[in-house]
Amino acid sequence: MKTSMSDAYASRTDRNAAIIARQDPVIYGAGSYAGALEPGQLASYEHNGFLLMPDLFAGDEAQALLDEVRQLCADPAIAAMDEAIAEPGGQAIRSIFRVHQLGQAVSRLVRDPRIVDVARQILGSEVYVHQSRANMKPGFEGREFYWHSDFETWHIEDGMPRMRALSCSILLTDNTACNGPLMLVPGSHQQFIACKGRTPQDHYKTSLRQQEYGVPDRLSLQLLVEQGGVQAMTAGAGSVVFFDCNTMHGSAGNISPLPRANVFVVYNSVDNTLRAPGHGLAPRPEYIAARNAVEPVHPLECLTP
Amino acid sequence: MKTSMSDAYASRTDRNAAIIARQDPVIYGAGSYAGALEPGQLASYEHNGFLLMPDLFAGDEAQALLDEVRQLCADPAIAAMDEAIAEPGGQAIRSIFRVHQLGQAVSRLVRDPRIVDVARQILGSEVYVHQSRANMKPGFEGREFYWHSDFETWHIEDGMPRMRALSCSILLTDNTACNGPLMLVPGSHQQFIACKGRTPQDHYKTSLRQQEYGVPDRLSLQLLVEQGGVQAMTAGAGSVVFFDCNTMHGSAGNISPLPRANVFVVYNSVDNTLRAPGHGLAPRPEYIAARNAVEPVHPLECLTP
């Protein structure tokens, strides 16, 4: 997408940071697309920019997913792939991208109606997987993810036109106050924080470990938190957090011995596929931002194989 | 204190890490020393190695303390003192030591019967202030405090003979899952983790920012947490956590905009004053480990000035 004066969500220009009101719906088609959420849940998602569904998956389902992503992490062939990102300054694996194409259980997960039907309902259309990853946040050394809006990055670095995507984070271990839970700023999805500074080519090679560009300024963060507070998504394994692509979020480091492993799936509307990135940037690799694999996800009819 | 084979708590020798059973009581004199705790609270402290007392101080008392420590942080004369420790890689103040001699409100705080009588009761004797500090953990950039037992450091670097001291952390802001609350390992006070590695002279000049020696090994931490779990001390401003000098604790970084400011007071028994440090180390400065100012703290009769 060409970044111009007509871009509703210009960012990383030479201008200062700015707060811009959201130009897009949060719930598309008034939630009439067949789905699993009650009106009260939809209203809560629309108001807060997220919805936590405790124990959406059973303990053994979460365990099977955890076993699979651990096997992937232990596989030298996977560790050698670009898809595997190490902890900054460490050897432990921080993230594995494209995990829904690398693991069978995760492949079924992204087609599970308990999550994909929620995405279809909220986005009011068919959806595809824009990105998937396992975030391991290993014990003792899992580093923080600083505050960011995913949409800011996807808009600028991937050319995602509008705010019509959402993430869901499936908790594979208990997420507690002690192991760096996801933190969200309620209501922040209604405001777009345009960030300062240009973006170098190939930014993703370092940003997946530690972000330097597309970082919201402290004053804007302070304002968002004064308005909405901060909420930590502490919940048991098998719980799922759905959150809007523009909800401000981050998570602290994990010094506890207890890993905080989640699978993270981004659904984008088929009506919101990627264009050219902003600022003349080269597109990021397919495993970070799908451009070719944009077929709608068909929900599984039956979960038993 | 001379470190020899007869030292019950040898650490930082050339030997490997080791887990040594505690040789000392947790509650001295069976809690018969006049104090404020109920038998159930004493039993809980003895079992877990800590006690959280929600809202022990009123909101306006916590606010007055917060105002004072913020004034101290903003005072260039204080910032220039050795007592003020900056965040690693930052300018913001991380800690101010000897804060009970720098601030009037904190000076009264350490004599407040609501805390000093608890210390006297648990330690079964008169007590003095071994160390005091304000830990600011500022928003956005407050770094973690990695896992440690205070006693391990005080024994080796300060020559504190026995486990007959305790800390109390007075919460000046709300401590939540989002701003890096104190985390404790229940039951860990019953085991002493001897650490690997020698200690360089003047270690405190860097260790107060980021610890490199006296760090427990991961295997021992894992074992302690498997036995006792981890608990985050999330509570409102004015709450107080008392914890044994050997309870394993740490806290994650604070990326939230909300500061996590606490005052931390260490009471030591007057029967447990410091000897020479271990391994021929020079004593640390008086503001980190009191050697001269060991007069018993007399509880205030009346809190109104």
Side-chain angles (χ1 to χ4, degrees):
Chain A
M1 192 191 51
K2 201 159 161 17
T3 303
S4 68
M5 290 308 288
S6 66
D7 180 8
Y9 304 119
S11 184
R12 310 194 204 175
T13 64
D14 289 330
R15 288 174 298 169
N16 277 335
I19 301 187
I20 297 164
R22 182 187 184 108
Q23 309 287 314
D24 298 309
V26 178
I27 309 288
Y28 282 77
S32 59
Y33 213 88
L37 297 185
E38 306 288 333
Q41 292 174 309
L42 277 171
S44 172
Y45 180 93
E46 184 166 33
H47 183 255
N48 292 317
F50 65 88
L51 182 68
L52 169 62
M53 299 183 76
D55 305 321
L56 188 58
F57 290 84
D60 59 343
E61 292 178 299
Q63 186 63 48
L65 288 161
L66 181 61
D67 291 345
E68 180 170 279
V69 299
R70 283 195 172 147
Q71 270 169 26
L72 293 174
C73 287
D75 181 344
I78 300 282
M81 293 171 75
D82 288 342
E83 279 84 341
I85 312 293
E87 283 294 330
Q91 289 303 310
I93 288 186
R94 176 175 173 85
S95 301
I96 298 178
F97 279 79
R98 206 169 59 80
V99 65
H100 72 296
Q101 293 174 333
L102 297 173
Q104 272 206 317
V106 183
S107 159
R108 281 197 304 277
L109 174 71
V110 302
R111 292 175 288 147
D112 192 302
R114 286 171 287 183
I115 60 174
V116 69
D117 280 352
V118 171
R120 285 150 45 108
Q121 188 178 14
I122 289 172
L123 303 178
S125 70
E126 297 296 311
V127 299
Y128 69 95
V129 177
H130 168 70
Q131 182 189 96
S132 76
R133 64 206 286 186
N135 285 332
M136 303 310 293
K137 199 173 274 197
F140 300 113
E141 61 179 318
R143 294 279 192 91
E144 69 183 36
F145 287 87
Y146 193 70
W147 298 106
H148 61 287
S149 148
D150 289 326
F151 180 75
E152 196 277 343
T153 298
W154 300 339
H155 186 63
I156 300 301
E157 300 196 20
D158 299 331
M160 181 182 284
R162 310 299 303 191
M163 295 180 183
R164 196 174 180 177
L166 61 76
S167 298
C168 68
S169 177
I170 299 95
L171 282 53
L172 306 190
T173 62
D174 292 348
N175 282 213
T176 73
C178 295
N179 62 0
L182 175 67
M183 300 187 292
L184 297 158
V185 180
S188 57
H189 61 308
Q190 295 291 5
Q191 290 167 41
F192 177 77
I193 309 300
C195 302
K196 273 173 76 171
R198 298 243 166 229
T199 310
Q201 290 290 352
D202 289 345
H203 177 227
Y204 73 92
K205 289 186 180 170
T206 56
S207 72
L208 302 179
R209 293 179 168 217
Q210 215 150 5
Q211 187 91 7
E212 280 177 70
Y213 303 88
V215 175
D217 64 293
R218 290 186 178 185
L219 183 60
S220 299
L221 283 170
Q222 187 89 45
L223 287 170
L224 291 179
V225 169
E226 278 170 15
Q227 289 166 15
V230 194
Q231 281 187 32
M233 298 292 107
T234 54
S239 302
V240 177
V241 185
F242 295 90
F243 59 101
D244 180 83
C245 59
N246 190 45
T247 302
M248 193 62 72
H249 63 287
S251 62
N254 178 20
I255 66 166
S256 92
L258 309 166
R260 193 222 60 166
N262 295 349
V263 165
F264 184 81
V265 183
V266 181
Y267 295 103
N268 189 23
S269 168
V270 294
D271 298 328
N272 195 40
T273 52
L274 306 186
R275 304 185 190 169
H279 305 304
L281 291 166
R284 300 198 294 175
E286 183 80 13
Y287 66 84
I288 297 177
R291 281 178 188 277
N292 302 318
V294 298
E295 312 81 42
V297 173
H298 296 298
L300 288 174
E301 287 296 320
C302 169
L303 290 179
T304 349
Chain B
M1 192 191 51
K2 201 159 160 18
T3 304
S4 68
M5 291 307 289
S6 68
D7 181 7
Y9 303 120
S11 184
R12 309 194 204 176
T13 65
D14 289 330
R15 287 175 298 169
N16 276 335
I19 301 187
I20 297 164
R22 180 187 185 109
Q23 310 286 315
D24 297 309
V26 178
I27 308 289
Y28 281 77
S32 58
Y33 214 88
L37 297 184
E38 305 289 332
Q41 292 174 309
L42 276 172
S44 172
Y45 181 92
E46 184 165 34
H47 183 255
N48 292 317
F50 65 89
L51 182 68
L52 169 61
M53 298 183 77
D55 305 321
L56 188 59
F57 290 85
D60 59 343
E61 292 178 298
Q63 187 62 48
L65 288 161
L66 181 61
D67 291 345
E68 179 170 280
V69 298
R70 283 195 171 145
Q71 270 170 26
L72 293 174
C73 287
D75 181 343
I78 300 281
M81 294 171 75
D82 288 342
E83 279 84 342
I85 312 293
E87 283 293 330
Q91 289 304 310
I93 288 187
R94 175 176 175 83
S95 301
I96 298 178
F97 280 78
R98 204 167 60 81
V99 66
H100 73 295
Q101 293 174 334
L102 297 174
Q104 272 206 317
V106 183
S107 159
R108 280 198 304 278
L109 173 71
V110 302
R111 292 175 288 149
D112 193 300
R114 287 171 287 182
I115 60 174
V116 69
D117 280 352
V118 171
R120 286 151 43 109
Q121 187 177 14
I122 288 172
L123 303 177
S125 71
E126 296 297 312
V127 299
Y128 69 95
V129 177
H130 168 70
Q131 183 189 96
S132 77
R133 63 207 284 187
N135 285 331
M136 303 309 292
K137 199 172 274 195
F140 300 112
E141 62 179 316
R143 294 281 191 92
E144 68 183 37
F145 288 88
Y146 192 72
W147 298 106
H148 60 288
S149 148
D150 290 326
F151 179 75
E152 196 278 342
T153 298
W154 300 339
H155 185 62
I156 300 302
E157 299 196 22
D158 299 332
M160 181 182 285
R162 311 297 304 191
M163 295 180 184
R164 196 173 179 177
L166 62 75
S167 298
C168 69
S169 177
I170 299 94
L171 282 53
L172 306 190
T173 62
D174 292 348
N175 282 214
T176 74
C178 295
N179 62 0
L182 176 66
M183 300 187 291
L184 296 159
V185 180
S188 58
H189 61 308
Q190 295 291 4
Q191 290 167 41
F192 178 76
I193 310 299
C195 302
K196 274 172 76 170
R198 299 241 167 232
T199 311
Q201 292 288 353
D202 289 344
H203 177 227
Y204 72 92
K205 289 186 179 171
T206 57
S207 72
L208 303 178
R209 292 179 168 217
Q210 214 150 6
Q211 187 92 5
E212 280 179 70
Y213 302 89
V215 176
D217 64 293
R218 290 187 178 184
L219 183 59
S220 299
L221 284 170
Q222 187 90 45
L223 287 170
L224 292 178
V225 170
E226 278 170 14
Q227 290 166 14
V230 193
Q231 281 188 32
M233 298 293 107
T234 53
S239 302
V240 177
V241 185
F242 295 91
F243 59 103
D244 180 83
C245 59
N246 191 45
T247 301
M248 192 62 70
H249 63 286
S251 63
N254 178 19
I255 67 167
S256 91
L258 309 167
R260 193 222 60 165
N262 295 348
V263 165
F264 184 80
V265 182
V266 182
Y267 296 103
N268 190 22
S269 168
V270 293
D271 298 327
N272 195 40
T273 51
L274 305 187
R275 305 186 189 168
H279 305 304
L281 291 166
R284 299 198 295 176
E286 183 80 12
Y287 66 85
I288 297 177
R291 282 179 186 276
N292 302 317
V294 297
E295 311 81 42
V297 173
H298 295 297
L300 287 175
E301 288 295 320
C302 169
L303 291 179
T304 348

